[in-house]
Amino acid sequence: MQLTETKSKLFQPLYLRETLFCILYGGRGGAKSWEIADYLLIDGIKNVNRNLCCREVQKSIKQSVHQLFKDRIKRWKLERFYNALETEIRGVNGTLFMYSGLLEHTADTIKSFEGCNRTWIEEAQTVSKRSLDILVPTVIRTPGCQVIMSLNPYLLTDAVWADYIQPALDGKRDDVTLINVNYTDNKHCPPELMRLAENMKRDDYDAWLNIYDGQPKLVADGAIYKDELHKAQKDGRITSVPVDDILPVYTVWDLGVSDSTVIWFVQIYGKEPRLVDYYEANGEGIDHYIKLIKSKGYDYGGHFAPHDIKVREFTSGKSRLETARTMGIDFTTVTNISIDDGIDATRQLLKTVWIDEKRCARGIECVRNYRREYNDKMQEFKPRPVHDWASHAADALRYVALSIDRMVVKKTPKLPKPIASRGWQG
């Protein structure tokens, strides 16, 4: 059997390349990855392509689609054209397939992908807005480029859904082609999977809608702060919350080494906490963040960080606590207690906190998606929260909850209370 362009009209947009972005989305069993891999292999024979296959987290080549390409090359007997090496695939005409995780890249390191004219973002539902905002401007500089995304949708708030799919569905993006594909569209879908899908449709329709029909959820399974955030939204406490010049601002940090550093900006009105601003970046030194908070122009009352800020770095021999002090920032370390006790404290915080919906949008998205992973074997959620793109903001919010009592305003100024139903200022 010879590898040729797909006969299915459903996947023809991949080959036509009429728009910059082509997004294949839907539930399990739709053969999205097979179709994309076959397309890129065909296209790489016809043209000399530089293919970047990426995902949010890739700690080893085993987490990439490298094995999928090797399987499809073998399936279509393309070994004479493609040479599958340990970490990449090369065509005899110069076509190249390479793989990368996005989480640890910065705007500078992502420049190594310039010149890629085919980019496949797999498991795109897990890719953060930050990663997309860094990657896309780099790869679209290449003339004739194409960005393909494949995903089983998870949440309405996932960056790919919110920024690409929903606007395209609403007719607000003309640079996106959508291909919705499910197991019912796959003539090669195994009967065992068909049976599983139909059984779930009968027994748990809501789960079937997401897993097999590919419809996104509003809140993640195992979301730790789901109820608290829902109530805050219902009470009108996620709204416009201006920074008040009368009150000091406190910063609370979660410090990353090879991943994100997060800062929440907090004000206290009496016993009412306010999250008025948020910042997150990756791959920057502590001097970057200190310059950032100084550039805000806020009147700071104090700065809080976890106990690991005291750890000395091998390169300088100094701790980040000492480095910050030389730059005029004196940190107070947060009480070191168990994660579960910290989560309980955060739940109490979320009962009264007010959050600025625009400046803290990224932080809200992360906290909303902070979750426990489900253990399929034990049929229960694992006790420890998932460490992913959402966890840094949630960790920093936990430190906020543990530091509130030390954010003291000696005399509470007489300020008007917000009208919840009409926003902070009415």
Side-chain angles (χ1 to χ4, degrees), residues 151-197:
L151 66 149
N152 296 345
Y154 188 42
L155 295 173
L156 283 169
T157 54
D158 289 339
V160 168
W161 188 277
D163 294 346
Y164 292 84
I165 298 177
Q166 192 62 57
L169 291 172
D170 295 339
K172 296 178 180 178
R173 289 199 70 144
D174 59 6
D175 60 346
V176 175
T177 296
L178 298 177
I179 301 176
N180 182 212
V181 56
N182 293 307
Y183 67 98
T184 51
D185 301 302
N186 179 12
K187 64 181 181 181
H188 301 295
C189 185
E192 295 81 7
L193 191 145
M194 295 279 287
R195 219 167 13 249
L196 285 173

Short mmCIF file of all heavy atoms in Angstrom, two decimals, residues 151-197:
data_model
loop_
_atom_site.label_atom_id
_atom_site.label_comp_id
_atom_site.label_asym_id
_atom_site.label_seq_id
_atom_site.Cartn_x
_atom_site.Cartn_y
_atom_site.Cartn_z
N LEU A 151 -5.53 18.43 19.55
CA LEU A 151 -5.90 18.36 20.96
C LEU A 151 -7.20 17.62 21.18
O LEU A 151 -8.07 17.57 20.31
CB LEU A 151 -6.03 19.77 21.55
CG LEU A 151 -7.15 20.67 21.01
CD1 LEU A 151 -7.63 21.62 22.11
CD2 LEU A 151 -6.69 21.47 19.80
N ASN A 152 -7.28 17.04 22.37
CA ASN A 152 -8.55 16.61 22.93
C ASN A 152 -8.96 17.71 23.90
O ASN A 152 -8.35 17.84 24.98
CB ASN A 152 -8.40 15.28 23.69
CG ASN A 152 -7.99 14.14 22.78
OD1 ASN A 152 -8.08 14.25 21.56
ND2 ASN A 152 -7.53 13.05 23.36
N PRO A 153 -9.91 18.55 23.56
CA PRO A 153 -10.24 19.72 24.40
C PRO A 153 -10.51 19.33 25.84
O PRO A 153 -11.10 18.28 26.12
CB PRO A 153 -11.50 20.28 23.74
CG PRO A 153 -11.39 19.85 22.31
CD PRO A 153 -10.78 18.49 22.36
N TYR A 154 -10.06 20.19 26.73
CA TYR A 154 -10.27 19.92 28.16
C TYR A 154 -11.10 21.03 28.80
O TYR A 154 -12.22 20.79 29.21
CB TYR A 154 -8.93 19.74 28.86
CG TYR A 154 -9.07 19.28 30.30
CD1 TYR A 154 -9.99 18.31 30.65
CD2 TYR A 154 -8.27 19.81 31.31
CE1 TYR A 154 -10.14 17.88 31.96
CE2 TYR A 154 -8.40 19.38 32.62
CZ TYR A 154 -9.34 18.42 32.95
OH TYR A 154 -9.47 18.00 34.24
N LEU A 155 -10.56 22.26 28.83
CA LEU A 155 -11.26 23.35 29.49
C LEU A 155 -11.54 24.49 28.52
O LEU A 155 -10.75 24.76 27.61
CB LEU A 155 -10.45 23.89 30.66
CG LEU A 155 -10.22 22.94 31.84
CD1 LEU A 155 -9.26 23.57 32.84
CD2 LEU A 155 -11.52 22.59 32.52
N LEU A 156 -12.65 25.18 28.76
CA LEU A 156 -12.97 26.37 27.96
C LEU A 156 -11.90 27.45 28.13
O LEU A 156 -11.71 28.28 27.24
CB LEU A 156 -14.32 26.95 28.40
CG LEU A 156 -15.57 26.22 27.90
CD1 LEU A 156 -16.80 26.75 28.64
CD2 LEU A 156 -15.75 26.41 26.40
N THR A 157 -11.23 27.43 29.27
CA THR A 157 -10.21 28.45 29.56
C THR A 157 -8.82 28.09 29.04
O THR A 157 -7.90 28.90 29.14
CB THR A 157 -10.12 28.71 31.07
OG1 THR A 157 -9.91 27.46 31.74
CG2 THR A 157 -11.40 29.34 31.59
N ASP A 158 -8.64 26.88 28.50
CA ASP A 158 -7.35 26.52 27.92
C ASP A 158 -6.99 27.51 26.82
O ASP A 158 -7.85 27.92 26.04
CB ASP A 158 -7.38 25.10 27.35
CG ASP A 158 -7.43 24.04 28.44
OD1 ASP A 158 -7.04 24.35 29.58
OD2 ASP A 158 -7.88 22.91 28.15
N ALA A 159 -5.73 27.88 26.75
CA ALA A 159 -5.31 28.97 25.85
C ALA A 159 -5.68 28.71 24.40
O ALA A 159 -6.15 29.61 23.70
CB ALA A 159 -3.80 29.18 25.99
N VAL A 160 -5.48 27.48 23.91
CA VAL A 160 -5.78 27.19 22.51
C VAL A 160 -7.27 27.33 22.24
O VAL A 160 -7.68 27.85 21.20
CB VAL A 160 -5.27 25.78 22.13
CG1 VAL A 160 -5.83 25.36 20.78
CG2 VAL A 160 -3.76 25.77 22.08
N TRP A 161 -8.09 26.87 23.18
CA TRP A 161 -9.53 27.00 22.98
C TRP A 161 -9.96 28.47 23.03
O TRP A 161 -10.67 28.96 22.16
CB TRP A 161 -10.32 26.18 24.00
CG TRP A 161 -11.79 26.17 23.67
CD1 TRP A 161 -12.72 27.12 23.98
CD2 TRP A 161 -12.47 25.19 22.88
NE1 TRP A 161 -13.94 26.79 23.44
CE2 TRP A 161 -13.82 25.61 22.77
CE3 TRP A 161 -12.07 23.99 22.28
CZ2 TRP A 161 -14.77 24.87 22.07
CZ3 TRP A 161 -13.03 23.27 21.58
CH2 TRP A 161 -14.36 23.70 21.48
N ALA A 162 -9.51 29.17 24.08
CA ALA A 162 -9.95 30.54 24.30
C ALA A 162 -9.44 31.52 23.25
O ALA A 162 -10.15 32.44 22.86
CB ALA A 162 -9.52 31.00 25.70
N ASP A 163 -8.21 31.31 22.77
CA ASP A 163 -7.59 32.29 21.88
C ASP A 163 -7.66 31.92 20.40
O ASP A 163 -7.49 32.79 19.54
CB ASP A 163 -6.12 32.49 22.25
CG ASP A 163 -5.96 33.13 23.62
OD1 ASP A 163 -6.95 33.64 24.15
OD2 ASP A 163 -4.84 33.08 24.18
N TYR A 164 -7.93 30.65 20.10
CA TYR A 164 -7.92 30.22 18.69
C TYR A 164 -9.25 29.56 18.28
O TYR A 164 -9.89 30.00 17.32
CB TYR A 164 -6.77 29.24 18.43
CG TYR A 164 -5.41 29.87 18.52
CD1 TYR A 164 -4.76 30.03 19.74
CD2 TYR A 164 -4.75 30.33 17.39
CE1 TYR A 164 -3.51 30.63 19.84
CE2 TYR A 164 -3.49 30.92 17.46
CZ TYR A 164 -2.89 31.07 18.69
OH TYR A 164 -1.65 31.65 18.78
N ILE A 165 -9.67 28.53 19.02
CA ILE A 165 -10.85 27.77 18.58
C ILE A 165 -12.13 28.57 18.75
O ILE A 165 -12.92 28.71 17.80
CB ILE A 165 -10.93 26.42 19.32
CG1 ILE A 165 -9.70 25.56 18.99
CG2 ILE A 165 -12.21 25.68 18.94
CD1 ILE A 165 -9.65 24.25 19.74
N GLN A 166 -12.37 29.09 19.96
CA GLN A 166 -13.62 29.82 20.19
C GLN A 166 -13.75 31.04 19.28
O GLN A 166 -14.81 31.26 18.68
CB GLN A 166 -13.75 30.23 21.66
CG GLN A 166 -15.14 30.73 22.03
CD GLN A 166 -16.21 29.66 21.84
OE1 GLN A 166 -16.11 28.59 22.40
NE2 GLN A 166 -17.21 29.96 21.02
N PRO A 167 -12.70 31.87 19.12
CA PRO A 167 -12.82 32.99 18.19
C PRO A 167 -13.09 32.53 16.75
O PRO A 167 -13.83 33.20 16.02
CB PRO A 167 -11.47 33.70 18.30
CG PRO A 167 -10.98 33.35 19.66
CD PRO A 167 -11.44 31.94 19.89
N ALA A 168 -12.50 31.41 16.34
CA ALA A 168 -12.76 30.90 14.99
C ALA A 168 -14.20 30.42 14.86
O ALA A 168 -14.87 30.67 13.84
CB ALA A 168 -11.80 29.76 14.66
N LEU A 169 -14.72 29.76 15.89
CA LEU A 169 -16.12 29.33 15.89
C LEU A 169 -17.07 30.52 15.84
O LEU A 169 -18.15 30.45 15.23
CB LEU A 169 -16.42 28.49 17.13
CG LEU A 169 -15.77 27.10 17.20
CD1 LEU A 169 -15.99 26.47 18.58
CD2 LEU A 169 -16.34 26.19 16.11
N ASP A 170 -16.65 31.61 16.47
CA ASP A 170 -17.48 32.83 16.50
C ASP A 170 -17.30 33.71 15.27
O ASP A 170 -17.89 34.79 15.17
CB ASP A 170 -17.15 33.66 17.75
CG ASP A 170 -17.53 32.94 19.04
OD1 ASP A 170 -18.38 32.03 18.98
OD2 ASP A 170 -16.97 33.29 20.10
N GLY A 171 -16.45 33.26 14.33
CA GLY A 171 -16.20 34.04 13.12
C GLY A 171 -15.30 35.23 13.32
O GLY A 171 -15.28 36.16 12.50
N LYS A 172 -14.50 35.23 14.39
CA LYS A 172 -13.65 36.38 14.72
C LYS A 172 -12.19 36.16 14.33
O LYS A 172 -11.36 37.05 14.53
CB LYS A 172 -13.75 36.70 16.22
CG LYS A 172 -15.15 37.14 16.64
CD LYS A 172 -15.22 37.39 18.14
CE LYS A 172 -16.62 37.83 18.55
NZ LYS A 172 -16.73 38.03 20.02
N ARG A 173 -11.87 34.97 13.81
CA ARG A 173 -10.51 34.70 13.31
C ARG A 173 -10.63 34.06 11.95
O ARG A 173 -11.24 32.99 11.80
CB ARG A 173 -9.74 33.77 14.26
CG ARG A 173 -9.33 34.41 15.57
CD ARG A 173 -8.21 33.63 16.24
NE ARG A 173 -6.94 33.76 15.52
CZ ARG A 173 -5.76 33.82 16.11
NH1 ARG A 173 -5.67 33.78 17.43
NH2 ARG A 173 -4.66 33.92 15.40
N ASP A 174 -10.01 34.69 10.95
CA ASP A 174 -10.04 34.13 9.60
C ASP A 174 -8.72 33.48 9.23
O ASP A 174 -8.53 33.06 8.08
CB ASP A 174 -10.41 35.20 8.58
CG ASP A 174 -9.45 36.38 8.57
OD1 ASP A 174 -8.42 36.32 9.29
OD2 ASP A 174 -9.72 37.36 7.86
N ASP A 175 -7.81 33.38 10.21
CA ASP A 175 -6.52 32.73 9.95
C ASP A 175 -6.47 31.32 10.53
O ASP A 175 -5.41 30.70 10.59
CB ASP A 175 -5.37 33.57 10.52
CG ASP A 175 -5.47 33.80 12.02
OD1 ASP A 175 -6.55 33.53 12.60
OD2 ASP A 175 -4.47 34.25 12.63
N VAL A 176 -7.62 30.81 10.97
CA VAL A 176 -7.70 29.49 11.60
C VAL A 176 -8.66 28.60 10.84
O VAL A 176 -9.81 28.98 10.58
CB VAL A 176 -8.16 29.60 13.07
CG1 VAL A 176 -8.35 28.20 13.68
CG2 VAL A 176 -7.16 30.40 13.90
N THR A 177 -8.22 27.39 10.47
CA THR A 177 -9.09 26.35 9.93
C THR A 177 -9.29 25.31 11.01
O THR A 177 -8.33 24.82 11.60
CB THR A 177 -8.47 25.69 8.69
OG1 THR A 177 -8.35 26.66 7.65
CG2 THR A 177 -9.34 24.53 8.20
N LEU A 178 -10.56 24.98 11.27
CA LEU A 178 -10.89 24.01 12.30
C LEU A 178 -11.32 22.69 11.67
O LEU A 178 -12.11 22.67 10.72
CB LEU A 178 -12.02 24.54 13.19
CG LEU A 178 -11.74 25.82 13.99
CD1 LEU A 178 -12.98 26.24 14.75
CD2 LEU A 178 -10.56 25.62 14.94
N ILE A 179 -10.79 21.60 12.22
CA ILE A 179 -11.22 20.25 11.82
C ILE A 179 -11.67 19.53 13.08
O ILE A 179 -10.85 19.19 13.94
CB ILE A 179 -10.08 19.47 11.14
CG1 ILE A 179 -9.58 20.20 9.90
CG2 ILE A 179 -10.57 18.07 10.75
CD1 ILE A 179 -8.39 19.53 9.22
N ASN A 180 -12.97 19.36 13.22
CA ASN A 180 -13.52 18.66 14.38
C ASN A 180 -13.68 17.18 14.02
O ASN A 180 -14.39 16.82 13.07
CB ASN A 180 -14.88 19.26 14.75
CG ASN A 180 -15.50 18.61 15.97
OD1 ASN A 180 -16.71 18.51 16.08
ND2 ASN A 180 -14.68 18.16 16.91
N VAL A 181 -12.98 16.31 14.74
CA VAL A 181 -12.97 14.89 14.40
C VAL A 181 -13.06 14.03 15.66
O VAL A 181 -12.38 14.29 16.66
CB VAL A 181 -11.69 14.54 13.58
CG1 VAL A 181 -10.44 14.93 14.31
CG2 VAL A 181 -11.67 13.07 13.21
N ASN A 182 -13.93 13.03 15.61
CA ASN A 182 -14.15 12.13 16.73
C ASN A 182 -14.06 10.68 16.27
O ASN A 182 -13.86 10.40 15.09
CB ASN A 182 -15.50 12.41 17.38
CG ASN A 182 -15.55 13.77 18.04
OD1 ASN A 182 -14.69 14.11 18.86
ND2 ASN A 182 -16.54 14.58 17.69
N TYR A 183 -14.24 9.77 17.21
CA TYR A 183 -14.13 8.34 16.88
C TYR A 183 -15.16 7.92 15.83
O TYR A 183 -14.93 6.99 15.05
CB TYR A 183 -14.26 7.49 18.14
CG TYR A 183 -15.63 7.50 18.79
CD1 TYR A 183 -16.54 6.47 18.56
CD2 TYR A 183 -15.99 8.52 19.67
CE1 TYR A 183 -17.79 6.46 19.17
CE2 TYR A 183 -17.23 8.51 20.28
CZ TYR A 183 -18.13 7.49 20.03
OH TYR A 183 -19.36 7.50 20.63
N THR A 184 -16.29 8.60 15.78
CA THR A 184 -17.32 8.26 14.81
C THR A 184 -16.90 8.62 13.38
O THR A 184 -17.51 8.16 12.41
CB THR A 184 -18.62 9.00 15.15
OG1 THR A 184 -18.35 10.39 15.34
CG2 THR A 184 -19.23 8.44 16.44
N ASP A 185 -15.84 9.45 13.25
CA ASP A 185 -15.33 9.83 11.92
C ASP A 185 -14.21 8.91 11.45
O ASP A 185 -13.75 9.03 10.31
CB ASP A 185 -14.81 11.27 11.95
CG ASP A 185 -15.88 12.26 12.36
OD1 ASP A 185 -16.91 12.32 11.67
OD2 ASP A 185 -15.67 12.98 13.37
N ASN A 186 -13.75 8.03 12.33
CA ASN A 186 -12.59 7.18 12.05
C ASN A 186 -13.05 5.78 11.64
O ASN A 186 -13.47 4.98 12.49
CB ASN A 186 -11.68 7.12 13.28
CG ASN A 186 -10.47 6.24 13.08
OD1 ASN A 186 -10.17 5.83 11.95
ND2 ASN A 186 -9.78 5.94 14.17
N LYS A 187 -12.94 5.47 10.37
CA LYS A 187 -13.39 4.16 9.89
C LYS A 187 -12.49 3.03 10.38
O LYS A 187 -12.85 1.86 10.28
CB LYS A 187 -13.48 4.15 8.36
CG LYS A 187 -12.14 4.34 7.65
CD LYS A 187 -12.35 4.34 6.14
CE LYS A 187 -11.02 4.50 5.39
NZ LYS A 187 -11.22 4.52 3.92
N HIS A 188 -11.30 3.39 10.88
CA HIS A 188 -10.39 2.38 11.41
C HIS A 188 -10.43 2.31 12.94
O HIS A 188 -9.57 1.65 13.55
CB HIS A 188 -8.96 2.68 10.97
CG HIS A 188 -8.79 2.72 9.48
ND1 HIS A 188 -8.95 1.61 8.68
CD2 HIS A 188 -8.46 3.74 8.64
CE1 HIS A 188 -8.75 1.94 7.41
NE2 HIS A 188 -8.45 3.23 7.36
N CYS A 189 -11.41 2.98 13.54
CA CYS A 189 -11.49 2.97 15.01
C CYS A 189 -11.71 1.55 15.52
O CYS A 189 -12.63 0.85 15.07
CB CYS A 189 -12.64 3.87 15.47
SG CYS A 189 -12.73 4.05 17.26
N PRO A 190 -10.89 1.07 16.46
CA PRO A 190 -11.03 -0.30 16.97
C PRO A 190 -12.41 -0.51 17.60
O PRO A 190 -12.91 0.38 18.29
CB PRO A 190 -9.93 -0.40 18.03
CG PRO A 190 -8.95 0.68 17.68
CD PRO A 190 -9.75 1.78 17.07
N PRO A 191 -13.01 -1.65 17.36
CA PRO A 191 -14.34 -1.91 17.93
C PRO A 191 -14.33 -1.85 19.46
O PRO A 191 -15.34 -1.48 20.07
CB PRO A 191 -14.67 -3.32 17.42
CG PRO A 191 -13.38 -3.90 16.94
CD PRO A 191 -12.54 -2.76 16.51
N GLU A 192 -13.19 -2.19 20.08
CA GLU A 192 -13.11 -2.14 21.54
C GLU A 192 -13.28 -0.70 22.03
O GLU A 192 -13.97 -0.45 23.03
CB GLU A 192 -11.77 -2.69 22.03
CG GLU A 192 -11.54 -4.17 21.76
CD GLU A 192 -11.07 -4.44 20.33
OE1 GLU A 192 -10.80 -3.46 19.60
OE2 GLU A 192 -10.98 -5.63 19.96
N LEU A 193 -12.64 0.24 21.33
CA LEU A 193 -12.77 1.64 21.72
C LEU A 193 -14.19 2.15 21.46
O LEU A 193 -14.74 2.91 22.25
CB LEU A 193 -11.74 2.50 20.97
CG LEU A 193 -11.58 3.93 21.47
CD1 LEU A 193 -10.14 4.38 21.33
CD2 LEU A 193 -12.48 4.91 20.72
N MET A 194 -14.78 1.74 20.35
CA MET A 194 -16.16 2.12 20.05
C MET A 194 -17.09 1.66 21.17
O MET A 194 -17.98 2.40 21.61
CB MET A 194 -16.59 1.49 18.73
CG MET A 194 -15.86 1.97 17.51
SD MET A 194 -16.49 3.55 16.88
CE MET A 194 -18.05 3.04 16.18
N ARG A 195 -16.84 0.42 21.65
CA ARG A 195 -17.67 -0.13 22.70
C ARG A 195 -17.51 0.67 24.00
O ARG A 195 -18.48 0.97 24.70
CB ARG A 195 -17.30 -1.60 22.92
CG ARG A 195 -18.49 -2.47 23.19
CD ARG A 195 -18.23 -3.96 23.11
NE ARG A 195 -16.86 -4.41 23.08
CZ ARG A 195 -16.28 -4.96 22.01
NH1 ARG A 195 -16.95 -5.08 20.87
NH2 ARG A 195 -15.03 -5.37 22.05
N LEU A 196 -16.24 1.01 24.34
CA LEU A 196 -15.98 1.81 25.54
C LEU A 196 -16.69 3.16 25.47
O LEU A 196 -17.28 3.63 26.44
CB LEU A 196 -14.47 2.02 25.72
CG LEU A 196 -13.65 0.84 26.23
CD1 LEU A 196 -12.16 1.17 26.16
CD2 LEU A 196 -14.04 0.47 27.66
N ALA A 197 -16.60 3.78 24.29
CA ALA A 197 -17.23 5.09 24.11
C ALA A 197 -18.74 5.02 24.27
O ALA A 197 -19.35 5.85 24.96
CB ALA A 197 -16.85 5.65 22.74
#
